[in-house]
Amino acid sequence: MKKTIINLVTILVLTMSIQFSMAQTQESNVEFKQESKNVLAKMIKKSPSLQSYYDQSYGYAIFPKVTKVGVSLGFAGGKGVVFINHLVISTSKMKQLTFGLQFGAQKYSEVIFFQNEKAFEQFMNKKLKFNGQASAVAIKKGASADLSYSDGVAVFTQSKGGIMFEASIGGQHFKNQLIED
């Protein structure tokens, strides 16, 4: 029974990944960049305290659509845009693997603020990996974003739908590609 569930989750993840990749390639880069900016603007509107992170950060990455599924083992992925001085410099692909008590599927947006050049460079050079020690604040209407930087990084998420019950640990990995002019 457990093997069947794991196989079904694997099939579901692969199907969602293929659909996600197809949808992303059909979307123009200009539209994707604008969608990313719109997601961040909505997050700031829901939680105005994010404005100071936006104004004072060295750089940030926005992942407008992250899809996650899990039954004991969880998988997530999404495509994002990386900014420095509020200008797009890179695209980024995020992959996440978690293990623990979890069941469900969800979509969410994620923004990662970098307090300084060192944290930003670690992200760009694939040396920044989030694990069970990292935390994120889920943005809700009217809620304040009470998260301080941890090792120069602050992470905020906003649910877009789905349902997920989770008590797990895991990590995120990022693959960045500089945009050439």
Side-chain angles (χ1 to χ4, degrees):
M1 178 69 173
K2 189 173 181 178
K3 251 186 174 180
T4 303
I5 291 173
I6 291 172
N7 288 338
L8 288 174
V9 169
T10 303
I11 291 169
L12 179 63
V13 168
L14 291 174
T15 302
M16 291 175 72
S17 296
I18 291 167
Q19 290 175 344
F20 181 77
S21 295
M22 289 172 53
Q24 288 296 334
T25 56
Q26 293 170 355
E27 202 172 17
S28 78
N29 282 337
V30 173
E31 289 171 339
F32 185 69
K33 290 175 194 174
Q34 188 58 49
E35 179 186 5
S36 297
K37 291 177 183 178
N38 292 343
V39 163
L40 180 57
K42 287 178 185 177
M43 290 174 84
I44 291 172
K45 185 176 181 180
K46 280 192 173 188
S47 183
S49 59
L50 284 180
Q51 186 69 47
S52 65
Y53 286 91
Y54 174 78
D55 293 339
Q56 298 171 13
S57 68
Y58 180 83
Y60 49 93
I62 305 169
F63 296 86
K65 296 176 193 167
V66 178
T67 303
K68 182 174 185 175
V69 295
V71 177
S72 297
L73 196 57
F75 303 94
K79 181 180 175 186
V81 181
V82 181
F83 294 79
I84 190 167
N85 296 322
H86 308 295
L87 299 173
V88 175
I89 64 147
S90 173
T91 59
S92 185
K93 291 183 182 177
M94 183 267 286
K95 294 178 184 176
Q96 180 184 47
L97 177 65
T98 54
F99 179 75
L101 299 173
Q102 57 191 318
F103 181 79
Q106 69 178 6
K107 288 189 180 216
Y108 61 92
S109 300
E110 179 172 300
V111 62
I112 305 167
F113 290 103
F114 306 101
Q115 185 177 29
N116 51 46
E117 184 177 6
K118 180 182 176 188
F120 184 81
E121 289 300 323
Q122 286 178 328
F123 174 80
M124 292 302 294
N125 294 323
K126 302 179 188 176
K127 293 181 181 171
L128 178 67
K129 292 183 175 104
F130 298 131
N131 56 35
Q133 304 302 314
S135 62
V137 169
I139 301 298
K140 296 184 172 122
K141 188 151 182 93
S144 68
D146 298 325
L147 175 71
S148 60
Y149 284 101
S150 175
D151 293 325
V153 178
V155 182
F156 299 91
T157 63
Q158 182 176 4
S159 177
K160 295 177 77 76
I163 189 163
M164 175 69 80
F165 301 99
E166 180 175 19
S168 63
I169 60 169
Q172 289 184 339
H173 174 76
F174 304 92
K175 182 177 180 182
N176 304 305
Q177 182 173 355
L178 292 174
I179 295 174
E180 307 212 6
D181 292 326

